[in-house]
Amino acid sequence: MGNSKSHSGRTCCSQFLPEEQAEIDRLFDALSSQKDGAETSPRSFSLKALQSHVGEALPPEMLARLYDGMRQVCGTGPAQGSCQSVSREQFTVSLSHLLRGSSEERSVVILKMISASGGPVKAREVRKFTEDLVGSVVHVLSHRQELRGWAGKEAPGAPARTQALAAQLLSELKLPGGERLQGPQWLEGNCDRAAIEDWVFRVPRVAMFLSVVVHRGLLVLGVPPDLAMLVPERQVEPGQELTSLLDVLAVIFLSSHLAPRQRHCWRLLFASHLHGQSFSQLCGRVTHRGPCLALLEDRSGHVFGGFASCSWEVKPQFQGDNKCFLFSIAPSMAVYTPTGYNDHYMYLNHSQQTIPNGLGMGGQHSYFGLWVDADFGNGHSKAKPTCTTYDSPQLSAEEDFRFEKMEVWAVGEPVESELAKGKKSVLDVDPGAQILLEATGWTRQSAGFPEIPDSHSADQ
């Protein structure tokens, strides 16, 4: 990557490959040749021309912000004075900063997108920009039909989810004195370019979301590989209708905390309103299926859950590793990672007499950070003040809660070893059925028999 030359022959600070720069030049030519383009020399384009090109792919507020950022940037930094249209050099440099630039370069354009002054801005202005940015991601993915099966802005509670994700991003913003945004009083604090640069550096999703807006809003430079992993494909068995607890913003948020191999597709393993209010069904459908996300909604509307980095197994011991975490989706978005205090990451037990039966993550017996009781529909989230394993607060509205909706999603492609473990009889995958069989006095004739290898394995 190196500098490219504009059509006028001047060298401008572009970080694009020659073929990429040629595509950007073609887009500029199309924008500046429209009838309502700015009648100036050298050529430039107006906001109206950009609106005509983008159409309804981006919300008007974000399109205006993007245009303001472009027209106030030049090849050597902030423009001297305000321009009324966007020149070729401004177009190239602003896209170069937003898509390929450093945190410092991105912060220059972001400040112009927030305020025409480009100087210190109020934290409340940064909050409004972040909410617009998050909302624009959902808008453009929905418009381009790239939600990959997940619900977008039409989903119930979507505006609240937009604010929740924006608040999560802003939780990493530090004011010039080093203070974090901890309440309404902080919204009147000033944020200078150094604060915005530090924020962009420490929160990569800000740059990622800007890339989505530019790439998919302007339809320029295709879809980079990292954007292709932004939203995993939603896989549900044919014929099943599911209104998931997850919308696209929740999916984007959770996916960003997973390994790259776990971001391509998510497969539904269990949904209570499809498979029944049954702990036996839950155990049968989630064991030996690889890493997965489990989440539920309590009767107060709190949505929360946990990521299991290993396959669930029914056994009386704790399991898992330090890649597990707990999370909240509503009313706020947050992820809680292991503290190292203990290794009580995952627990799943069923039909035992002397120890708890249920699914748990973090804490200890009878005092879990997240607990789903074998008496399905009951659970608890105990933390005084936080869970010892994950440092999480109480995730539910009430410490002991009731719920109707629970889902479990396998993340990533199935692993062969997990598929082999999953080839069990109905008695293996439904512990309740096994207990019932033994209680009636019958024995399992297949117990202890080795599995017959697949034909292709026997030939090797």
Side-chain angles (χ1 to χ4, degrees):
M1 297 191 180
N3 291 343
S4 299
K5 291 187 177 181
S6 69
H7 283 198
S8 63
R10 294 177 299 171
T11 300
C12 72
C13 302
S14 168
Q15 301 179 65
F16 298 117
L17 296 171
E19 58 271 24
E20 294 173 328
Q21 185 61 51
E23 182 179 342
I24 290 171
D25 285 336
R26 287 193 296 271
L27 177 55
F28 176 82
D29 290 341
L31 290 168
S32 59
S33 64
Q34 295 190 25
K35 292 180 181 179
D36 43 24
E39 296 295 334
T40 59
S41 181
R43 290 171 63 174
S44 60
F45 65 84
S46 66
L47 175 58
K48 191 174 181 180
L50 187 61
Q51 290 171 332
S52 178
H53 171 76
V54 172
E56 298 182 354
L58 291 176
E61 299 84 0
M62 180 51 63
L63 190 61
R65 288 186 184 276
L66 189 59
Y67 182 78
D68 287 340
M70 291 176 178
R71 70 185 179 86
Q72 296 181 87
V73 170
C74 70
T76 57
Q80 304 301 314
S82 178
C83 303
Q84 298 306 311
S85 58
V86 178
S87 69
R88 184 185 302 276
E89 185 177 3
Q90 288 173 320
F91 187 57
T92 296
V93 172
S94 58
L95 293 189
S96 178
H97 284 358
L98 288 175
L99 301 180
R100 303 291 170 77
S102 63
S103 300
E104 178 182 4
E105 291 168 328
R106 287 189 172 105
S107 68
V108 171
V109 184
I110 290 173
L111 272 174
K112 295 296 184 182
M113 293 175 70
I114 295 173
S115 170
S117 68
V121 295
K122 297 293 184 183
R124 56 178 166 77
E125 295 179 284
V126 184
R127 180 180 68 174
K128 183 61 172 67
F129 164 79
T130 308
E131 290 177 351
D132 287 351
L133 178 61
V134 172
S136 296
V137 170
V138 180
H139 184 105
V140 71
L141 291 177
S142 178
H143 182 83
R144 302 297 185 197
Q145 299 182 350
E146 295 173 352
L147 295 175
R148 308 193 75 187
W150 302 100
K153 59 185 178 181
E154 294 82 9
R161 294 278 175 95
T162 297
Q163 294 170 1
L165 183 50
Q168 196 280 326
L169 296 175
L170 284 169
S171 67
E172 295 295 326
L173 177 64
K174 295 181 181 179
L175 299 177
E179 306 93 340
R180 293 181 185 271
L181 299 179
Q182 298 177 346
Q185 69 275 18
W186 298 97
L187 294 176
E188 293 305 313
N190 288 323
C191 299
D192 57 15
R193 198 179 86 176
I196 299 298
E197 179 184 342
D198 174 72
W199 180 53
V200 174
F201 176 77
R202 289 186 299 103
V203 187
R205 276 171 292 164
V206 176
M208 171 68 77
F209 289 174
L210 283 167
S211 294
V212 173
V213 168
V214 173
H215 281 290
R216 308 315 299 147
L218 274 60
L219 287 180
V220 64
L221 301 181
V223 183
D226 54 348
L227 294 191
M229 290 195 299
L230 182 69
V231 183
E233 179 186 354
R234 177 182 184 265
Q235 296 183 356
V236 178
E237 292 180 14
Q240 293 185 337
E241 295 293 331
L242 175 70
T243 301
S244 177
L245 295 171
L246 294 170
D247 65 358
V248 70
L249 285 181
V251 169
I252 289 172
F253 171 66
L254 293 174
S255 179
S256 68
H257 292 86
L258 301 180
R261 66 181 180 278
Q262 297 165 343
R263 301 178 190 173
H264 293 284
C265 67
W266 292 2
R267 294 165 287 115
L268 181 68
L269 298 180
F270 173 82
S272 55
H273 67 288
L274 290 178
H275 305 118
Q277 304 275 335
S278 166
F279 191 74
S280 292
Q281 279 287 331
L282 172 66
C283 291
R285 288 182 171 275
V286 306
T287 51
H288 305 294
R289 301 300 177 90
C292 59
L293 290 157
L295 68 153
L296 54 87
E297 180 181 40
D298 69 16
R299 289 184 173 180
S300 297
H302 287 218
V303 180
F304 51 92
F307 168 64
S309 59
C310 310
S311 285
W312 285 101
E313 294 183 38
V314 177
K315 61 183 182 180
Q317 295 88 27
F318 284 97
Q319 52 195 291
D321 60 30
N322 61 6
K323 296 183 179 65
C324 298
F325 58 79
L326 292 180
F327 61 83
S328 172
I329 295 299
S332 61
M333 290 191 184
V335 160
Y336 306 99
T337 54
T339 62
Y341 181 82
N342 57 39
D343 60 357
H344 298 175
Y345 306 114
M346 302 160 51
Y347 176 88
L348 181 63
N349 205 17
H350 191 38
S351 302
Q352 298 293 315
Q353 297 295 322
T354 59
I355 53 178
N357 294 311
L359 181 151
M361 295 189 71
Q364 58 190 8
H365 292 319
S366 303
Y367 207 89
F368 284 89
L370 170 62
W371 175 253
V372 175
D373 200 84
D375 180 13
F376 198 82
N378 295 294
H380 72 241
S381 177
K382 297 185 178 182
K384 293 188 183 303
T386 60
C387 170
T388 54
T389 309
Y390 295 107
D391 198 29
S392 55
Q394 179 180 304
L395 301 174
S396 49
E398 302 292 336
E399 189 174 83
D400 296 293
F401 60 83
R402 294 277 300 165
F403 69 93
E404 278 82 34
K405 296 184 71 174
M406 180 177 180
E407 299 171 12
V408 182
W409 296 84
V411 296
E413 297 290 346
V415 181
E416 286 299 324
S417 60
E418 301 299 345
L419 291 174
K421 291 178 183 177
K423 294 179 180 178
K424 305 287 185 179
S425 73
V426 66
L427 298 177
D428 290 308
V429 299
D430 189 342
Q434 180 182 339
I435 295 295
L436 180 62
L437 179 71
E438 294 173 353
T440 59
W442 291 86
T443 59
R444 297 179 58 190
Q445 299 301 318
S446 61
F449 281 71
E451 294 184 2
I452 300 175
D454 295 336
S455 58
H456 71 273
S457 300
D459 294 336
Q460 293 178 353

